[in-house]
Structure formats: C-alpha cells, structure tokens
Amino acid sequence: MRRLPILPVLLALACLLPVPAWAAAGIPAFTGTPGPGGSTSYTFSLEALLLLTALTFLPAALLMMTAFTRIVIVLSLLRQAMGTMNAPPNQVIVGLSLFLTFFIMAPVFDKIHETAWKPYSDNQISLVEAAERGAQPLKSFMLKQTRQEDLALFVGLAKVPPINTPEETPLKVLVPAYVISELKTAFQIGFIVFIPFLIIDMVVASVLMSMGMMMLSPVLVSLPFKIMLFVLADGWSLLIASLVQTFQI
C-alpha cells in the first residue's frame, strides 16, 4: 500500500478550507491603531518585523557610529608599522576592536537602555519614541568626537536649514561628518605610532649599507628589534590606554 506524502496532503486540505476561514485569521502583524496626536500604535508582531529589518543595518551602525573605526585603523597601522603582516591576525584585531568598542561605548549603551529600551519594554512609550530617545545619547557621543569644520562641511553640502544647537543636527549630516573626523584622528595617531619603528628601519638600513650587506633585507633584520622595543616598552598597554583616552565620553 502506497503512503501519501504528508506535506502535499496537508496543503491540499488547507486549500479546501472555506474562504471565510482564511479571512477570519487575518494578518494581525500589519494592523495599526490610531493614537493621540496623530501617532499610530502598531501590533507587536509588526514592531518585531521592523526591529528585525533594522538589525540588518547593525554592522554598518557598529562600524560608522561607534568607536570601532578609529580603533581598528590604529591597530591595523600598528601591525603594518611593525612589519608583522599576519601577526596579530585579522580576527584578533577585529575582536580586540569590538571589545574595546563595547568598553568605550558602555556609558552610551547604558543611557540608551535607561532612556529608551526600558520604558519601551514596560509599554510606556512607542517604538518611534524609543528610537528617538535612543538616538540622543549616540548623537551626543558622535558630536563630542566630530570636528566643527567637518560638521560644517556636510551641513553646507546637505543644504539643511540653519541649526540652532548641535543636538538638532540630523543623523544624515552627523554620521558622515563623524566618520571623516574618525578617519583623520586615526591616521594622526597612526603617524605617531609609525615614527619609532621608522627610525629603527632607517638605523638598520644605514648599518647594513655601511657594512656592505646590500643583499640582506633591512626589514628582516629590523623586525626582531621592533618587536623587542614594543615589548620592553609595554607597547600594548601604552597604546590601548592612550587610544581609549582620546575618546570624549
């Protein structure tokens, strides 16, 4: 006796249901209730859908709106200055940058939790109001790191109306200005990091040329000295402490 496949049978039975049965179930995820002041309260399922959709922008937000950009660029420039192209590996640099980002951004995340997420989870405010409240601590953090000339540049390019206070700056203007400022600061720090290792390379190259050892790579000889200098100076602690202190919380 042949056994019918279960899934096609269930689908066939579902199609035999009367149309009112389908209409009665409805799609509550896409319903909304008008609220006071012209606002609209959406069902929880729709809010969850919007939240999941917003999570797709989380990597971009983590890269462009936090301390991650400056940290990962400085650590990458440090590795290049030392000449160790694969040590530490990319996974270690990205992981260290992420945890340092969480450490630096902890006060900002705490404010977002207290002012936005906690009232929203207690059904005291709507999703839109929670998003507006959550953006304020993040905007305050970015404004402290953004140079005035970079902010003025994008305000002029965007042709937005006159801004009375920095807190009124829209995100579409603040985010690119913040990124430009972070890139400039990261390369300035990277330049300072490069100087001692560049001096070692120049000294080793001069010694090798004076000894007539033209065929020996100066980079190969200077690498152990750069690693030794970095370790003896406790370079990781100095660099991380100085890097964290460059952020204004």
Side-chain angles (χ1 to χ4, degrees):
M1 181 178 179
R2 295 182 57 187
R3 298 180 57 184
L4 294 176
I6 297 178
L7 183 58
V9 173
L10 293 178
L11 292 177
L13 292 176
C15 293
L16 294 177
L17 291 176
V19 176
W22 288 83
I27 308 178
F30 295 94
T31 59
T33 304
S39 61
T40 303
S41 300
Y42 299 100
T43 58
F44 175 77
S45 52
L46 178 57
E47 293 177 355
L49 178 63
L50 295 176
L51 181 60
L52 292 176
T53 304
L55 288 179
T56 58
F57 298 95
L58 184 60
L62 179 62
L63 290 176
M64 299 292 103
M65 301 175 66
T66 63
F68 181 84
T69 301
R70 184 189 305 185
I71 297 173
V72 73
I73 290 178
V74 171
L75 294 182
S76 300
L77 291 176
L78 170 65
R79 183 177 63 179
Q80 187 174 356
M82 293 182 64
T84 55
M85 296 305 174
N86 296 319
N90 292 330
Q91 293 85 348
V92 175
I93 290 181
V94 173
L96 179 59
S97 302
L98 281 174
F99 280 102
L100 286 177
T101 300
F102 293 147
F103 175 79
I104 294 172
M105 302 293 296
V108 179
F109 292 155
D110 290 340
K111 291 181 181 178
I112 294 175
H113 179 267
E114 292 295 329
T115 59
W117 174 254
K118 190 174 180 181
Y120 171 72
S121 61
D122 295 337
N123 295 324
Q124 297 178 359
I125 59 176
S126 63
L127 179 63
V128 176
E129 187 177 356
E132 294 176 353
R133 290 189 181 185
Q136 294 304 318
L138 202 57
K139 289 176 63 176
S140 178
F141 170 79
M142 289 190 291
L143 283 170
K144 292 179 181 179
Q145 325 302 326
T146 306
R147 293 178 173 84
Q148 294 184 357
E149 53 270 21
D150 295 330
L151 188 60
L153 170 64
F154 283 95
V155 168
L157 292 176
K159 298 180 180 179
V160 296
I163 301 174
N164 299 322
T165 60
E167 289 74 14
E168 298 178 0
T169 307
L171 285 177
K172 68 176 183 179
V173 174
L174 179 57
V175 172
Y178 169 74
V179 174
I180 295 299
S181 297
E182 286 295 284
L183 290 175
K184 184 176 181 179
T185 303
F187 279 100
Q188 288 176 345
I189 300 175
F191 171 76
I192 298 175
V193 171
F194 253 93
I195 292 178
F197 300 108
L198 180 61
I199 294 175
I200 294 178
D201 286 334
M202 294 175 61
V203 171
V204 171
S206 300
V207 172
L208 292 178
M209 290 183 64
S210 63
M211 295 176 63
M213 304 175 68
M214 303 295 183
M215 302 303 294
L216 186 59
S217 175
V219 177
L220 182 63
V221 178
S222 62
L223 179 59
F225 293 99
K226 290 189 288 187
I227 295 178
M228 181 181 63
L229 173 65
F230 191 72
V231 172
L232 292 178
D234 199 9
W236 286 113
S237 298
L238 291 176
L239 178 65
I240 297 302
S242 302
L243 188 58
V244 172
Q245 292 173 1
T246 58
F247 291 94
Q248 301 178 15
I249 308 299

